[in-house]
Amino acid sequence: MIQFLLLFSRQGKLRLQKWYVATEEKQKKKLSRELINVVLQRKPKMCSFLEWKDMKIVYKRYASLYFCCAVESTDNELLILEIIHRYVELLDKYFGSVCELDIIFNFEKAYFILDEFILGGEVQETSKKNVLKAVSAQDVMQEDEAVTSALEEFGLV
Amino acid sequence: METLQNIRTQIQDVMQNAIKLPMTPIRLRDLIRQVRAARTAADERAVVNKECADIRANFREEDVTWRCRNVAKLLYIHMLGYPAHFGQLECLKLVASHRFTDKRIGYLGAMLLLDEQTEVHLLITNCIKNDLNNTNQYIAGLALCALGEICSAEMCRDLVGEIEKLLKSSNSYLRKKAALCAVRMIQKVPSLMDQFMPVTRSLLAEKNHAVQITGMVLMRQMCEMNTETLGSFRKLVPNIVRTFRALIMAGYNPDHDVSGISDPFLQVKMLDLLTVLGRNDAEASDMMNDILAQVATNTDGSKNVGGAVLYETVLAIMDIKSESGLRVLAVNILGRFLMNQDRNIRYVALNTLLKTVQIDNMAVQRHRSTVLECLKDPDVSIRKRAMELSFALVNATNVKAMAKELLAFLETADNEFKAPCSSNLFITCERYAPNRRWQIDTMIKALNLSGNYVSDHVVANIIQLIGEYAEEQAYAVRELFQCVQDPNFDTKQPLVQVACWSLGEFGDLLLSAGPSSFGGEDHQQQQPMNISEHSVVDALENIIKNKHSWVSTREYALNAVMKLSTRFTEMTSRIEQILAPLTANVSIEIQQRAVEYSSLFERPQQFRYGILERMPIVKRGTAADSTFMNGEEGLTVPHADDTDDLLGYHGDKRDGTSKPRAPKHSDSLLGILDDMSILASDTPVIHENGHAHQGSSAGGGMTDLLDLLDMNPASSVPKARPAAPANTSATSAMADFDFLNGNTSNTPVSAGTTFTAFEKNGLRIDFTVNGSPESLDVTINAWNFSPEEMSDFVFQAAVPKVLQLQLFPPSSSTIPAHGLSPVVQQMKIANPSHTPVKLRLRIFYKTSLQTVQEQAEVSNFPSPTSKLF
């Protein structure tokens, strides 16, 4: 089971965080700061895994963003890499060749996609199509609502 | 949607100007821009603080229109690392809103800002309950997602009914989410498992992959928590195998295919579940052998995704009771992994082989050369694993080749590898070395290459090794002498320490050893080197004087130089000169030694020769060895304090002088390994003369004795250095002159005399005196007859200067009440001049009420001459 997931930039700026295990706010900050430092110090030739505290860290860099998962020591790290990759693919499909800026300005969307892919630290949907379908259906619901409320506001309906 | 929002904002701006509405809060997008435009951290803080103030104000006004936007901004601010707890309640309000946009952001905020540890989270229970029953699947989905992440035991109990219902729903979108919520719930409240049991089975029959995978997660969770459930789910193995086969046989499905692998996520979860079901169960394992073989042979492992499935298959094969053929197949898959281009796959392979090697050494041996190749990998983590695995692969037949490879690895290895590598080399050589000469050679090479990154235990053990094999001592000392002549010796001080010890012990062999002791295979020149006494003493002096030498290295060199005063013939005055400045050394231990040694020169020569005899041979295989072998010792910081070593040597020397070089058990091992845990342990150590006493730490409990010793008018400590501690090591070095005075002194006394030395407030201290008149062994029994336990018990004693005292650590620092059992402590008193024994005692202990300090004098000591003989 995934313990937590961090997205951060090469400069160490946090772009997204998801904690699947209840952790105190202070501890979250401490752990993420430490882990970001550890990962950023790794050289490009090193493998994507490291043993850290009592967890296994699986990370991968996509352009300027690091995707970093902390998992239990019994988890299959190669599959975690696949999960990370799948998430990147989903982001890419959703935003259309995603870049860091997309995630910065639409971080809530990045969370929505993640929440349709993983729940409570486990994969809930293995079909890309289904994940994106669920996300965009909800986007449509939001848009409809926005239209209705805008029209209502100006007394058009 | 974006355009609509824009139009809306613009219209609002116009309206605002017209009718002076309160300010519209800035948009999330604009906040992000402002933050990104901030040049310094202080600027950013200013932007955030201003925005937070606005958001708070808006929250206070209970503004419904902008609540959603404000929470979204707050979530961004939260991600930047600023406090956002004041948004928690606003999230709950959003969740309760009827608008979907509000709910979506509200649940997101709830998941980010709340967790089961925050109290407000319970307030969300009711909203979740309502939303779970919502007919819109996406609203129910949001509630399920939040529940799966933040639910607490209390929420579980409240909402278990809803989840059970949703698990039976016909909608797979809800069923998959409900299954993962159920996982979370039974983690929190295991008793809820029964409620989910029947519906869990039905999840497996599902065609939808998402429901299958979440169902497997749920089953696995249940199996792990309850063996009964595990048993009942084992009956489902054929079903799972069938589903699995259908999955891998199914044709190409673009929705589930990942580079030619059919739904790897699902495959891995199935394998994981099968592993749990097949573990420790031959019947279940039997049913899955075929499918595992099929996956293992048919999956293309060249890419990461195939690797992931194969890796999980290997883990399954290793974990269940699989056929031996299958196990070989699994190890071969790992062997292929080792040659994979992808370093992640190589790492995983090494890691798994490391776990397998204990069970199936022969299968792993076949991949030895590939493993050794990985020692050169550019990735440190792979090198580290490869090193560990290489050591696990060493056996008696390949030890020479493996050691050669590992030494080559050590040569280029990072410093962090050197300590574990040299420690492991020692252990390996110890176990498999073909001969002692080779072993010594290898270890000298290892120390040479490891520089200053060697664990102290390794140093101690090599010293012991050299001490043990008389036939190789001349060879070793010669090799080691060359090492200390290296001008860069300060970069390999552990080696220098070994060399110093050897030179001290066997320096004489260096001068006399002929060429005959050198084998042809050695690179050593055949003719004897022209080594003079001068050059040896020069080298040692150089080590003492070098400013880069560690204190511990200097201590080794100081001891060596002193020992050479009895091995060499012409060096006595030179050695005295070397010692002279050291009597004022800043290191107390060196100062102490130098003072002791200098005073030895003032006594008759026989004293010096007696005391500086060769160390007795120490047999291994005692407690000390086990500490060396176990655990992380390889990672100890190389620069540890060695004072205990020195104390240890002396303890041993004293015991050994009467019978030098006779193999025996003694406590010197404890001393050589400066392992405080051993010294502090209360394991009794059997001595040659048959009595048991505690470990020979002379340091314990003696620090406060300075003032007690002041009762001696004649202090031999030079007055110029009042700091020089007259601690027990001084005593111990000089304690047993009786050895030199003939055998009578060692005559054991059959029965001891017991008398009460002290009694007050329920504390009674009995002395049992054994030994000879010159050397008394006193067993101290401290009884507590009061109704209360005495803790922090410290017993100290001092004697007049004519006597020498050595006190060993007590069996415990707490004396149980009601005279239940005594604390036992050993004390040795050397009385070479047969004067009446007088002791001054100081006793400390704590009761629950007070700290007690007592002083007493013991003058009723039975005179051993009158009573015992």
Side-chain angles (χ1 to χ4, degrees), chain A residues 25 29 45 47-48 51 82 116 125-127 139 142 145, chain B residues 78 81 100-101 104 173 176 255 263 343-344 347 379 385:
Chain A
E25 200 60 35
K29 269 192 195 171
K45 282 226 169 133
C47 69
S48 299
E51 278 145 52
E82 263 335 287
E116 287 297 335
E125 179 57 70
T126 63
S127 149
D139 286 349
Q142 266 188 282
E145 228 169 50
Chain B
H78 175 245
F100 182 72
T101 313
R104 209 178 183 194
Y173 180 78
K176 68 181 183 194
D255 209 23
D263 206 338
R343 63 180 86 89
N344 293 329
Y347 175 85
D379 186 341
R385 287 283 171 271

PDB file of all heavy atoms in Angstrom, chain A residues 25 29 45 47-48 51 82 116 125-127 139 142 145, chain B residues 78 81 100-101 104 173 176 255 263 343-344 347 379 385:
ATOM      1  N   GLU A  25       0.443  17.149  10.839  1.00  0.00           N
ATOM      2  CA  GLU A  25       0.868  18.185   9.900  1.00  0.00           C
ATOM      3  C   GLU A  25       2.373  18.453  10.010  1.00  0.00           C
ATOM      4  O   GLU A  25       3.090  18.536   9.013  1.00  0.00           O
ATOM      5  CB  GLU A  25       0.068  19.453  10.198  1.00  0.00           C
ATOM      6  CG  GLU A  25       0.014  20.451   9.071  1.00  0.00           C
ATOM      7  CD  GLU A  25      -0.625  19.877   7.807  1.00  0.00           C
ATOM      8  OE1 GLU A  25      -1.571  19.062   7.909  1.00  0.00           O
ATOM      9  OE2 GLU A  25      -0.165  20.243   6.732  1.00  0.00           O
ATOM     10  N   LYS A  29       5.384  17.753   7.155  1.00  0.00           N
ATOM     11  CA  LYS A  29       6.342  18.738   6.657  1.00  0.00           C
ATOM     12  C   LYS A  29       7.761  18.226   6.802  1.00  0.00           C
ATOM     13  O   LYS A  29       8.580  18.347   5.896  1.00  0.00           O
ATOM     14  CB  LYS A  29       6.204  20.043   7.452  1.00  0.00           C
ATOM     15  CG  LYS A  29       5.237  21.017   6.835  1.00  0.00           C
ATOM     16  CD  LYS A  29       5.394  22.357   7.515  1.00  0.00           C
ATOM     17  CE  LYS A  29       4.211  23.236   7.192  1.00  0.00           C
ATOM     18  NZ  LYS A  29       4.198  24.456   7.992  1.00  0.00           N
ATOM     19  N   LYS A  45      22.321   8.580 -12.446  1.00  0.00           N
ATOM     20  CA  LYS A  45      22.634   7.179 -12.783  1.00  0.00           C
ATOM     21  C   LYS A  45      22.114   6.180 -11.759  1.00  0.00           C
ATOM     22  O   LYS A  45      22.271   4.982 -11.930  1.00  0.00           O
ATOM     23  CB  LYS A  45      24.151   7.012 -12.910  1.00  0.00           C
ATOM     24  CG  LYS A  45      24.680   7.535 -14.225  1.00  0.00           C
ATOM     25  CD  LYS A  45      25.642   6.539 -14.845  1.00  0.00           C
ATOM     26  CE  LYS A  45      25.976   6.922 -16.267  1.00  0.00           C
ATOM     27  NZ  LYS A  45      27.405   6.864 -16.530  1.00  0.00           N
ATOM     28  N   CYS A  47      19.492   4.026  -9.296  1.00  0.00           N
ATOM     29  CA  CYS A  47      18.208   3.404  -9.546  1.00  0.00           C
ATOM     30  C   CYS A  47      17.109   4.179  -8.820  1.00  0.00           C
ATOM     31  O   CYS A  47      17.371   5.048  -8.008  1.00  0.00           O
ATOM     32  CB  CYS A  47      18.211   1.939  -9.136  1.00  0.00           C
ATOM     33  SG  CYS A  47      18.303   1.668  -7.382  1.00  0.00           S
ATOM     34  N   SER A  48      15.880   3.839  -9.132  1.00  0.00           N
ATOM     35  CA  SER A  48      14.749   4.637  -8.672  1.00  0.00           C
ATOM     36  C   SER A  48      14.278   4.278  -7.270  1.00  0.00           C
ATOM     37  O   SER A  48      13.228   4.736  -6.861  1.00  0.00           O
ATOM     38  CB  SER A  48      13.577   4.449  -9.622  1.00  0.00           C
ATOM     39  OG  SER A  48      13.934   4.878 -10.897  1.00  0.00           O
ATOM     40  N   GLU A  51      15.909   2.722   0.252  1.00  0.00           N
ATOM     41  CA  GLU A  51      15.302   2.341   1.509  1.00  0.00           C
ATOM     42  C   GLU A  51      15.443   3.522   2.444  1.00  0.00           C
ATOM     43  O   GLU A  51      16.536   4.042   2.622  1.00  0.00           O
ATOM     44  CB  GLU A  51      16.007   1.111   2.079  1.00  0.00           C
ATOM     45  CG  GLU A  51      15.481  -0.146   1.449  1.00  0.00           C
ATOM     46  CD  GLU A  51      16.541  -1.201   1.274  1.00  0.00           C
ATOM     47  OE1 GLU A  51      17.221  -1.503   2.251  1.00  0.00           O
ATOM     48  OE2 GLU A  51      16.678  -1.698   0.145  1.00  0.00           O
ATOM     49  N   GLU A  82       5.307   1.570 -12.333  1.00  0.00           N
ATOM     50  CA  GLU A  82       4.243   1.514 -13.335  1.00  0.00           C
ATOM     51  C   GLU A  82       3.071   2.397 -12.925  1.00  0.00           C
ATOM     52  O   GLU A  82       2.449   3.053 -13.747  1.00  0.00           O
ATOM     53  CB  GLU A  82       3.735   0.077 -13.473  1.00  0.00           C
ATOM     54  CG  GLU A  82       4.272  -0.776 -14.583  1.00  0.00           C
ATOM     55  CD  GLU A  82       4.803  -0.083 -15.807  1.00  0.00           C
ATOM     56  OE1 GLU A  82       3.986   0.440 -16.581  1.00  0.00           O
ATOM     57  OE2 GLU A  82       6.018  -0.083 -16.014  1.00  0.00           O
ATOM     58  N   GLU A 116      -9.340   9.428  -8.675  1.00  0.00           N
ATOM     59  CA  GLU A 116     -10.076   8.438  -9.470  1.00  0.00           C
ATOM     60  C   GLU A 116      -9.195   7.235  -9.815  1.00  0.00           C
ATOM     61  O   GLU A 116      -9.687   6.219 -10.281  1.00  0.00           O
ATOM     62  CB  GLU A 116     -10.613   9.068 -10.761  1.00  0.00           C
ATOM     63  CG  GLU A 116     -11.800  10.009 -10.561  1.00  0.00           C
ATOM     64  CD  GLU A 116     -13.037   9.311  -9.997  1.00  0.00           C
ATOM     65  OE1 GLU A 116     -13.179   8.091 -10.189  1.00  0.00           O
ATOM     66  OE2 GLU A 116     -13.856   9.995  -9.344  1.00  0.00           O
ATOM     67  N   GLU A 125      -8.615   1.663 -10.197  1.00  0.00           N
ATOM     68  CA  GLU A 125      -9.082   1.550 -11.576  1.00  0.00           C
ATOM     69  C   GLU A 125      -7.875   1.329 -12.476  1.00  0.00           C
ATOM     70  O   GLU A 125      -6.934   2.103 -12.458  1.00  0.00           O
ATOM     71  CB  GLU A 125      -9.820   2.835 -11.962  1.00  0.00           C
ATOM     72  CG  GLU A 125     -10.337   2.870 -13.376  1.00  0.00           C
ATOM     73  CD  GLU A 125     -11.283   1.716 -13.694  1.00  0.00           C
ATOM     74  OE1 GLU A 125     -12.395   1.708 -13.161  1.00  0.00           O
ATOM     75  OE2 GLU A 125     -10.887   0.806 -14.454  1.00  0.00           O
ATOM     76  N   THR A 126      -7.907   0.219 -13.227  1.00  0.00           N
ATOM     77  CA  THR A 126      -6.745  -0.072 -14.058  1.00  0.00           C
ATOM     78  C   THR A 126      -6.954   0.382 -15.496  1.00  0.00           C
ATOM     79  O   THR A 126      -6.064   0.233 -16.307  1.00  0.00           O
ATOM     80  CB  THR A 126      -6.443  -1.586 -14.038  1.00  0.00           C
ATOM     81  OG1 THR A 126      -7.560  -2.254 -14.604  1.00  0.00           O
ATOM     82  CG2 THR A 126      -6.202  -2.081 -12.642  1.00  0.00           C
ATOM     83  N   SER A 127      -8.103   0.902 -15.789  1.00  0.00           N
ATOM     84  CA  SER A 127      -8.342   1.376 -17.157  1.00  0.00           C
ATOM     85  C   SER A 127      -8.184   2.891 -17.221  1.00  0.00           C
ATOM     86  O   SER A 127      -8.854   3.622 -16.489  1.00  0.00           O
ATOM     87  CB  SER A 127      -9.754   0.957 -17.598  1.00  0.00           C
ATOM     88  OG  SER A 127     -10.270   1.898 -18.494  1.00  0.00           O
ATOM     89  N   ASP A 139     -16.231  17.056 -14.376  1.00  0.00           N
ATOM     90  CA  ASP A 139     -15.953  18.407 -14.866  1.00  0.00           C
ATOM     91  C   ASP A 139     -17.199  18.981 -15.553  1.00  0.00           C
ATOM     92  O   ASP A 139     -17.548  20.148 -15.362  1.00  0.00           O
ATOM     93  CB  ASP A 139     -14.792  18.383 -15.867  1.00  0.00           C
ATOM     94  CG  ASP A 139     -13.456  18.169 -15.180  1.00  0.00           C
ATOM     95  OD1 ASP A 139     -13.433  18.250 -13.928  1.00  0.00           O
ATOM     96  OD2 ASP A 139     -12.448  17.917 -15.876  1.00  0.00           O
ATOM     97  N   GLN A 142     -19.640  20.208 -13.148  1.00  0.00           N
ATOM     98  CA  GLN A 142     -19.250  21.512 -12.612  1.00  0.00           C
ATOM     99  C   GLN A 142     -19.599  22.630 -13.594  1.00  0.00           C
ATOM    100  O   GLN A 142     -20.109  23.669 -13.208  1.00  0.00           O
ATOM    101  CB  GLN A 142     -17.740  21.533 -12.348  1.00  0.00           C
ATOM    102  CG  GLN A 142     -17.372  21.168 -10.930  1.00  0.00           C
ATOM    103  CD  GLN A 142     -15.896  21.394 -10.683  1.00  0.00           C
ATOM    104  OE1 GLN A 142     -15.070  20.600 -11.077  1.00  0.00           O
ATOM    105  NE2 GLN A 142     -15.578  22.486 -10.026  1.00  0.00           N
ATOM    106  N   GLU A 145     -23.187  23.413 -13.807  1.00  0.00           N
ATOM    107  CA  GLU A 145     -23.577  24.157 -12.624  1.00  0.00           C
ATOM    108  C   GLU A 145     -23.187  25.623 -12.767  1.00  0.00           C
ATOM    109  O   GLU A 145     -23.964  26.519 -12.417  1.00  0.00           O
ATOM    110  CB  GLU A 145     -22.861  23.564 -11.416  1.00  0.00           C
ATOM    111  CG  GLU A 145     -23.738  23.304 -10.248  1.00  0.00           C
ATOM    112  CD  GLU A 145     -22.994  22.475  -9.217  1.00  0.00           C
ATOM    113  OE1 GLU A 145     -21.853  22.857  -8.873  1.00  0.00           O
ATOM    114  OE2 GLU A 145     -23.529  21.465  -8.801  1.00  0.00           O
TER     115      GLU A 145
ATOM    116  N   HIS B  78      -1.799  26.014   1.586  1.00  0.00           N
ATOM    117  CA  HIS B  78      -1.413  24.869   2.423  1.00  0.00           C
ATOM    118  C   HIS B  78      -0.268  24.092   1.786  1.00  0.00           C
ATOM    119  O   HIS B  78       0.686  23.686   2.449  1.00  0.00           O
ATOM    120  CB  HIS B  78      -2.637  23.971   2.607  1.00  0.00           C
ATOM    121  CG  HIS B  78      -2.359  22.706   3.351  1.00  0.00           C
ATOM    122  ND1 HIS B  78      -2.474  21.473   2.763  1.00  0.00           N
ATOM    123  CD2 HIS B  78      -1.964  22.485   4.616  1.00  0.00           C
ATOM    124  CE1 HIS B  78      -2.159  20.547   3.644  1.00  0.00           C
ATOM    125  NE2 HIS B  78      -1.850  21.129   4.776  1.00  0.00           N
ATOM    126  N   GLY B  81       3.064  25.282   2.329  1.00  0.00           N
ATOM    127  CA  GLY B  81       3.619  25.008   3.655  1.00  0.00           C
ATOM    128  C   GLY B  81       3.130  25.956   4.736  1.00  0.00           C
ATOM    129  O   GLY B  81       3.679  25.980   5.832  1.00  0.00           O
ATOM    130  N   PHE B 100     -22.399  20.704  -6.745  1.00  0.00           N
ATOM    131  CA  PHE B 100     -21.363  19.684  -6.951  1.00  0.00           C
ATOM    132  C   PHE B 100     -19.958  20.280  -6.852  1.00  0.00           C
ATOM    133  O   PHE B 100     -19.055  19.676  -6.265  1.00  0.00           O
ATOM    134  CB  PHE B 100     -21.555  19.008  -8.318  1.00  0.00           C
ATOM    135  CG  PHE B 100     -20.569  17.923  -8.571  1.00  0.00           C
ATOM    136  CD1 PHE B 100     -20.654  16.718  -7.900  1.00  0.00           C
ATOM    137  CD2 PHE B 100     -19.513  18.110  -9.458  1.00  0.00           C
ATOM    138  CE1 PHE B 100     -19.735  15.712  -8.113  1.00  0.00           C
ATOM    139  CE2 PHE B 100     -18.580  17.109  -9.669  1.00  0.00           C
ATOM    140  CZ  PHE B 100     -18.690  15.905  -8.996  1.00  0.00           C
ATOM    141  N   THR B 101     -19.787  21.480  -7.419  1.00  0.00           N
ATOM    142  CA  THR B 101     -18.477  22.132  -7.369  1.00  0.00           C
ATOM    143  C   THR B 101     -18.026  22.305  -5.915  1.00  0.00           C
ATOM    144  O   THR B 101     -16.868  22.045  -5.564  1.00  0.00           O
ATOM    145  CB  THR B 101     -18.558  23.510  -8.046  1.00  0.00           C
ATOM    146  OG1 THR B 101     -19.245  23.353  -9.278  1.00  0.00           O
ATOM    147  CG2 THR B 101     -17.192  24.085  -8.288  1.00  0.00           C
ATOM    148  N   ARG B 104     -17.052  18.951  -4.484  1.00  0.00           N
ATOM    149  CA  ARG B 104     -15.797  18.416  -5.021  1.00  0.00           C
ATOM    150  C   ARG B 104     -14.605  19.065  -4.319  1.00  0.00           C
ATOM    151  O   ARG B 104     -13.685  18.382  -3.872  1.00  0.00           O
ATOM    152  CB  ARG B 104     -15.744  18.672  -6.534  1.00  0.00           C
ATOM    153  CG  ARG B 104     -14.946  17.628  -7.280  1.00  0.00           C
ATOM    154  CD  ARG B 104     -14.974  17.926  -8.763  1.00  0.00           C
ATOM    155  NE  ARG B 104     -14.253  16.882  -9.494  1.00  0.00           N
ATOM    156  CZ  ARG B 104     -13.877  17.007 -10.768  1.00  0.00           C
ATOM    157  NH1 ARG B 104     -14.158  18.110 -11.449  1.00  0.00           N
ATOM    158  NH2 ARG B 104     -13.221  16.037 -11.358  1.00  0.00           N
ATOM    159  N   TYR B 173     -18.600   1.335 -10.592  1.00  0.00           N
ATOM    160  CA  TYR B 173     -17.884   2.536 -10.160  1.00  0.00           C
ATOM    161  C   TYR B 173     -17.963   2.684  -8.645  1.00  0.00           C
ATOM    162  O   TYR B 173     -16.981   3.045  -7.998  1.00  0.00           O
ATOM    163  CB  TYR B 173     -18.501   3.762 -10.841  1.00  0.00           C
ATOM    164  CG  TYR B 173     -17.847   5.076 -10.489  1.00  0.00           C
ATOM    165  CD1 TYR B 173     -16.630   5.444 -11.069  1.00  0.00           C
ATOM    166  CD2 TYR B 173     -18.443   5.943  -9.580  1.00  0.00           C
ATOM    167  CE1 TYR B 173     -16.036   6.649 -10.737  1.00  0.00           C
ATOM    168  CE2 TYR B 173     -17.847   7.145  -9.248  1.00  0.00           C
ATOM    169  CZ  TYR B 173     -16.641   7.502  -9.830  1.00  0.00           C
ATOM    170  OH  TYR B 173     -16.041   8.687  -9.505  1.00  0.00           O
ATOM    171  N   LYS B 176     -16.164  -0.708  -6.708  1.00  0.00           N
ATOM    172  CA  LYS B 176     -14.700  -0.729  -6.540  1.00  0.00           C
ATOM    173  C   LYS B 176     -14.279   0.202  -5.402  1.00  0.00           C
ATOM    174  O   LYS B 176     -13.422  -0.125  -4.590  1.00  0.00           O
ATOM    175  CB  LYS B 176     -14.007  -0.337  -7.854  1.00  0.00           C
ATOM    176  CG  LYS B 176     -14.222   1.110  -8.261  1.00  0.00           C
ATOM    177  CD  LYS B 176     -13.545   1.464  -9.563  1.00  0.00           C
ATOM    178  CE  LYS B 176     -13.751   2.951  -9.870  1.00  0.00           C
ATOM    179  NZ  LYS B 176     -13.427   3.334 -11.221  1.00  0.00           N
ATOM    180  N   ASP B 255      -7.581  -1.183 -23.634  1.00  0.00           N
ATOM    181  CA  ASP B 255      -7.857  -0.485 -22.385  1.00  0.00           C
ATOM    182  C   ASP B 255      -7.007  -0.998 -21.226  1.00  0.00           C
ATOM    183  O   ASP B 255      -6.720  -0.277 -20.275  1.00  0.00           O
ATOM    184  CB  ASP B 255      -9.346  -0.658 -22.069  1.00  0.00           C
ATOM    185  CG  ASP B 255      -9.860   0.523 -21.283  1.00  0.00           C
ATOM    186  OD1 ASP B 255      -9.226   1.591 -21.372  1.00  0.00           O
ATOM    187  OD2 ASP B 255     -10.872   0.361 -20.590  1.00  0.00           O
ATOM    188  N   ASP B 263      -3.137  -6.085 -18.386  1.00  0.00           N
ATOM    189  CA  ASP B 263      -3.394  -5.512 -17.058  1.00  0.00           C
ATOM    190  C   ASP B 263      -2.388  -5.938 -15.977  1.00  0.00           C
ATOM    191  O   ASP B 263      -2.699  -6.747 -15.105  1.00  0.00           O
ATOM    192  CB  ASP B 263      -4.810  -5.826 -16.592  1.00  0.00           C
ATOM    193  CG  ASP B 263      -5.290  -4.761 -15.601  1.00  0.00           C
ATOM    194  OD1 ASP B 263      -4.422  -4.092 -14.996  1.00  0.00           O
ATOM    195  OD2 ASP B 263      -6.507  -4.595 -15.434  1.00  0.00           O
ATOM    196  N   ARG B 343      18.458  -0.479 -14.662  1.00  0.00           N
ATOM    197  CA  ARG B 343      19.110  -0.649 -13.355  1.00  0.00           C
ATOM    198  C   ARG B 343      18.112  -0.942 -12.251  1.00  0.00           C
ATOM    199  O   ARG B 343      18.451  -1.575 -11.254  1.00  0.00           O
ATOM    200  CB  ARG B 343      19.956   0.568 -13.006  1.00  0.00           C
ATOM    201  CG  ARG B 343      19.211   1.850 -12.857  1.00  0.00           C
ATOM    202  CD  ARG B 343      20.163   2.977 -12.510  1.00  0.00           C
ATOM    203  NE  ARG B 343      20.740   3.566 -13.691  1.00  0.00           N
ATOM    204  CZ  ARG B 343      20.180   4.593 -14.353  1.00  0.00           C
ATOM    205  NH1 ARG B 343      19.072   5.120 -13.915  1.00  0.00           N
ATOM    206  NH2 ARG B 343      20.752   5.094 -15.419  1.00  0.00           N
ATOM    207  N   ASN B 344      16.882  -0.507 -12.434  1.00  0.00           N
ATOM    208  CA  ASN B 344      15.870  -0.802 -11.415  1.00  0.00           C
ATOM    209  C   ASN B 344      15.625  -2.297 -11.330  1.00  0.00           C
ATOM    210  O   ASN B 344      15.481  -2.855 -10.246  1.00  0.00           O
ATOM    211  CB  ASN B 344      14.566  -0.097 -11.753  1.00  0.00           C
ATOM    212  CG  ASN B 344      14.709   1.402 -11.638  1.00  0.00           C
ATOM    213  OD1 ASN B 344      15.490   1.888 -10.820  1.00  0.00           O
ATOM    214  ND2 ASN B 344      13.998   2.129 -12.460  1.00  0.00           N
ATOM    215  N   TYR B 347      18.545  -3.921  -9.609  1.00  0.00           N
ATOM    216  CA  TYR B 347      18.494  -3.720  -8.160  1.00  0.00           C
ATOM    217  C   TYR B 347      17.527  -4.707  -7.506  1.00  0.00           C
ATOM    218  O   TYR B 347      17.841  -5.349  -6.507  1.00  0.00           O
ATOM    219  CB  TYR B 347      18.052  -2.278  -7.884  1.00  0.00           C
ATOM    220  CG  TYR B 347      17.834  -1.969  -6.429  1.00  0.00           C
ATOM    221  CD1 TYR B 347      18.910  -1.592  -5.627  1.00  0.00           C
ATOM    222  CD2 TYR B 347      16.575  -2.056  -5.844  1.00  0.00           C
ATOM    223  CE1 TYR B 347      18.720  -1.305  -4.295  1.00  0.00           C
ATOM    224  CE2 TYR B 347      16.383  -1.778  -4.517  1.00  0.00           C
ATOM    225  CZ  TYR B 347      17.453  -1.399  -3.741  1.00  0.00           C
ATOM    226  OH  TYR B 347      17.267  -1.123  -2.409  1.00  0.00           O
ATOM    227  N   ASP B 379      25.673   2.544 -10.169  1.00  0.00           N
ATOM    228  CA  ASP B 379      24.708   2.903  -9.136  1.00  0.00           C
ATOM    229  C   ASP B 379      25.145   2.369  -7.765  1.00  0.00           C
ATOM    230  O   ASP B 379      25.325   1.176  -7.588  1.00  0.00           O
ATOM    231  CB  ASP B 379      23.358   2.295  -9.538  1.00  0.00           C
ATOM    232  CG  ASP B 379      22.252   2.721  -8.605  1.00  0.00           C
ATOM    233  OD1 ASP B 379      22.564   3.159  -7.490  1.00  0.00           O
ATOM    234  OD2 ASP B 379      21.092   2.620  -9.002  1.00  0.00           O
ATOM    235  N   ARG B 385      24.134  -3.680  -2.719  1.00  0.00           N
ATOM    236  CA  ARG B 385      23.453  -4.972  -2.711  1.00  0.00           C
ATOM    237  C   ARG B 385      24.372  -6.068  -3.257  1.00  0.00           C
ATOM    238  O   ARG B 385      24.397  -7.176  -2.736  1.00  0.00           O
ATOM    239  CB  ARG B 385      22.200  -4.894  -3.574  1.00  0.00           C
ATOM    240  CG  ARG B 385      21.094  -4.109  -2.961  1.00  0.00           C
ATOM    241  CD  ARG B 385      20.399  -4.927  -1.888  1.00  0.00           C
ATOM    242  NE  ARG B 385      19.455  -4.109  -1.146  1.00  0.00           N
ATOM    243  CZ  ARG B 385      19.755  -3.414  -0.072  1.00  0.00           C
ATOM    244  NH1 ARG B 385      20.972  -3.438   0.411  1.00  0.00           N
ATOM    245  NH2 ARG B 385      18.856  -2.681   0.553  1.00  0.00           N
TER     246      ARG B 385
END
